[in-house]
Amino acid sequence: MRKRYILEVIDGYLFLLPFIISVAVFLIGPLIYAFFLSFQNFSFLTPQKAQWVGLKNYLDLLHDPVFIKALSNTAIYAVGVVVIELILGLILALIANSNIRGKTFFRVAYYIPTVTSTVAVSVIFLYLFKADGLVNNILSRFGIQGPVWFNSVRFALPSIMMMAIWSSVGTYMVIYLAGLQDIPVELYEAAEVDGANEYQRFWSITLPLLRPVIFFNLVVSIIGALQVFDQAYVVSRGNGGPLNATMTVVLYIYNKAFSEFDMGYASAAAFILFIIIMALTIIQRMIFKDETN
Amino acid sequence: MADVVFKNISKIYTGGVKAVDDFNLEIKDKEFIVLVGPSGCGKSTTLRMVAGLEEISSGELYIDGRLVNDVPPKDRDIAMVFQNYALYPHMNVYENMAFGLKLRKTPKDEIDRRVKEAAKILEIEGLLNRKPKALSGGQRQRVALGRAIVRNPKVFLMDEPLSNLDAKLRVQMRTELAKLHDRLQTTFIYVTHDQTEAMTMGDRIVVMKDGVIQQVASPQEIYNKPSNIFVAGFIGSPEMNFIDGHITVKNGKYFINFKDINLALPEGIAKTINPDFINKDIVIGIRPEDIHDEEMFLETFPEYTFNAKVEVVELLGSETYLYLQYDGIPLTARVDPRSVARSGDMVKIGFDMNKIHIFDKETTKRVMD
């Protein structure tokens, strides 16, 4: 019996081996190495000069004004994008789930941006929001002098946020839609017979039963928002400008690592982001305890 | 407590499917009425029209004298129990039952009183804090009933409420529902595809097929005088035997004839038969329990007997089913378990001619009183 059990276990791990190897080599390995690097003064150009610096990278980061700016930009971006995305996604899903005409068209229309490359989307937005682009052109017809959007310290980050919302709200809509269609029709009928009007049915049936889906969307969108990179990179041509207005944490890490080749410092920044995401996820899990099991 | 009146109610879905066709019925106050029929017969649609969950295509529906065609469900003063219970999964039992009252702004202590009273009637007092997923099927069923009871509605609507329960629990709940009806003194409209439920629970039964009412009558009458072949076959288990044949008259005496068999009809029965159908194509119906193989019967009524071949014998303990064949005609007999018939035997059997049913082969309608 015992021998057979051991053989079975070996069989199982053999099947898992390709996955274990790839994860170990391309994910866990680099992760551990990055953690190790974060305590070193390490440059690609001069790896032989690497030296152990303890927590210096971390301490320096906390006093680095650009990193602090990147953190605050990312936080503003995350809060704005997550809140609007989740609410807008739900509204769109409710529309797409209702019995209006042409709902299939709406479902497709809202989802298309999601399957479009973010770089392509960013380039299109650059054109739309150019100083003499389509958006300002339309605004000028109403007598409004549009800003220079991506080149304005004030509007650059909100522009990126709009773009992000536009391009990813479809994903959340689709997930909400699946959640909405999972709610049995009889529950609405029972509530209707019980005397609930449409508004009451939304608050007492739809929303509570959608909680697991809302939780899922919240986690995914927060993690996504904190890792914002490509839109900021394309719009600012990699420098996080104007005046670091579009500098995000991941963009900062990228620049440190691959422009300045300061791998130790970049690794430390990456681990700070990791800790933030981890902490937020743990807090969410505690708040939505019921939904996670 | 209210009567429900259907006047020429029809339901036509977009695409022209007629789910309910010219439904006319007066349900009396405090009556327990059962709509029964095979799936797709329109019984659930009819119930949903009463609930207001389905629009009425044409006709008029009155609850307690009020025309309710355009009244939304919440203002109809009805409560409904759904087939899969439709309990709100995120609310506990108490909240599930209180929900309808809360929406109606009933005072808190009144809600509490009513929920606890209903819980007591249904013996679910110990479950009030549980969520539906922590309940068994039978308990969920009770909560669904409780949700309806607390509302104290004029009409109770039940859409196959027992079909998700196991057989034993179903039998138990059947009697409990009947008791509940006695206790609440409210009009019950109950939909089922199970003819046993219909027979045991209803004051009156409405048998439906393809959206059309086939017969409305008490369980006894439905069973003893089915108005057509469909009703005769649908109600009763095992199903009634049907045999193509004729009615013949010889020297003023009536006979039924099929194949080479001629069985005399008792005078009392003969009198009730519509004489237009003499020598016409008819269908003879006889219930399995009206086919006998015991000595006593065969000796008393030798003119009702003939020989048939036993194909299969099913022993059920309290009774025995004989699956017989006579010249290509299959017959099912429900006989005393002491019967000695075994498969392959030729046995003498007799029809209880006082219990015979005769239908017009063409219209399938009953042609006797």
Side-chain angles (χ1 to χ4, degrees), chain B residues 92-104:
Chain B
N92 66 26
V93 170
Y94 185 98
E95 290 161 344
N96 260 286
M97 286 163 68
F99 185 64
L101 297 175
K102 263 189 210 159
L103 292 172
R104 286 178 164 71

Side-chain angles (χ1 to χ4, degrees), chain A residues 186-187 189 191 194 204 208, chain B residues 48 84 87-88 90 104 151:
Chain A
E186 299 88 76
L187 290 185
E189 291 181 343
D194 262 344
S204 0
Chain B
R48 290 167 59 82
N84 44 15
L87 298 178
Y88 310 123
H90 54 294
R104 286 178 164 71
R151 292 255 319 281

Side-chain angles (χ1 to χ4, degrees), chain B residues 85 137-139 141 161-170 173:
Chain B
Y85 321 131
Q139 290 168 334
Q141 180 60 65
L162 305 185
S163 59
N164 282 1
L165 301 179
D166 63 64
K168 203 174 157 191
L169 208 50
R170 206 178 304 159
M173 283 306 285

Side-chain angles (χ1 to χ4, degrees), chain A residues 184 186-197 200 203-205 208-209 290 293, chain B residues 48 53 73-74 78-80 82 84 86-91 99-100 103-104 147 151:
Chain A
E186 299 88 76
L187 290 185
Y188 289 110
E189 291 181 343
E192 206 180 333
V193 172
D194 262 344
N197 58 33
Q200 288 164 326
W203 285 102
S204 0
I205 308 291
L209 292 180
D290 284 355
N293 52 36
Chain B
R48 290 167 59 82
L53 296 171
K74 67 188 174 79
I78 44 111
M80 183 154 167
F82 292 82
N84 44 15
L87 298 178
Y88 310 123
H90 54 294
M91 300 182 194
F99 185 64
L103 292 172
R104 286 178 164 71
R147 193 167 62 181
R151 292 255 319 281

Side-chain angles (χ1 to χ4, degrees), chain B residues 19-183:
Chain B
V20 178
D21 193 2
D22 196 22
F23 192 98
N24 284 288
L25 181 68
E26 285 189 26
I27 301 173
K28 293 190 256 334
D29 185 21
K30 296 173 195 167
E31 193 172 17
F32 195 135
I33 200 130
V34 178
L35 308 183
V36 66
S39 46
C41 74
K43 56 192 191 297
S44 282
T45 310
T46 307
L47 190 79
R48 290 167 59 82
M49 285 194 284
V50 180
L53 296 171
E54 209 79 62
E55 231 174 275
I56 295 167
S57 307
S58 67
E60 290 169 347
L61 177 69
Y62 296 88
I63 297 177
D64 206 12
R66 179 166 71 126
L67 181 68
V68 293
N69 282 39
D70 298 317
V71 177
K74 67 188 174 79
D75 299 325
R76 291 190 181 197
D77 207 357
I78 44 111
M80 183 154 167
V81 177
F82 292 82
Q83 180 172 3
N84 44 15
Y85 321 131
L87 298 178
Y88 310 123
H90 54 294
M91 300 182 194
N92 66 26
V93 170
Y94 185 98
E95 290 161 344
N96 260 286
M97 286 163 68
F99 185 64
L101 297 175
K102 263 189 210 159
L103 292 172
R104 286 178 164 71
K105 307 237 162 25
T106 314
K108 261 217 169 91
D109 46 336
E110 171 73 7
I111 293 180
D112 197 59
R113 194 184 60 75
R114 286 214 224 167
V115 169
K116 291 208 168 127
E117 194 187 302
K120 202 170 159 195
I121 295 173
L122 296 164
E123 293 166 32
I124 49 172
E125 292 152 291
L127 308 173
L128 289 175
N129 291 319
R130 290 221 205 144
K131 290 266 176 74
K133 70 175 173 196
L135 301 176
S136 69
Q139 290 168 334
R140 286 180 201 178
Q141 180 60 65
R142 282 161 195 274
V143 177
L145 281 171
R147 193 167 62 181
I149 291 174
V150 293
R151 292 255 319 281
N152 201 8
K154 281 186 183 152
V155 183
F156 258 85
L157 307 175
M158 303 196 183
D159 189 4
E160 309 229 8
L162 305 185
S163 59
N164 282 1
L165 301 179
D166 63 64
K168 203 174 157 191
L169 208 50
R170 206 178 304 159
V171 175
Q172 187 193 334
M173 283 306 285
R174 226 156 60 191
T175 39
E176 291 205 23
L177 278 177
K179 271 195 252 168
L180 191 67
H181 176 248
D182 282 345
R183 183 175 181 145

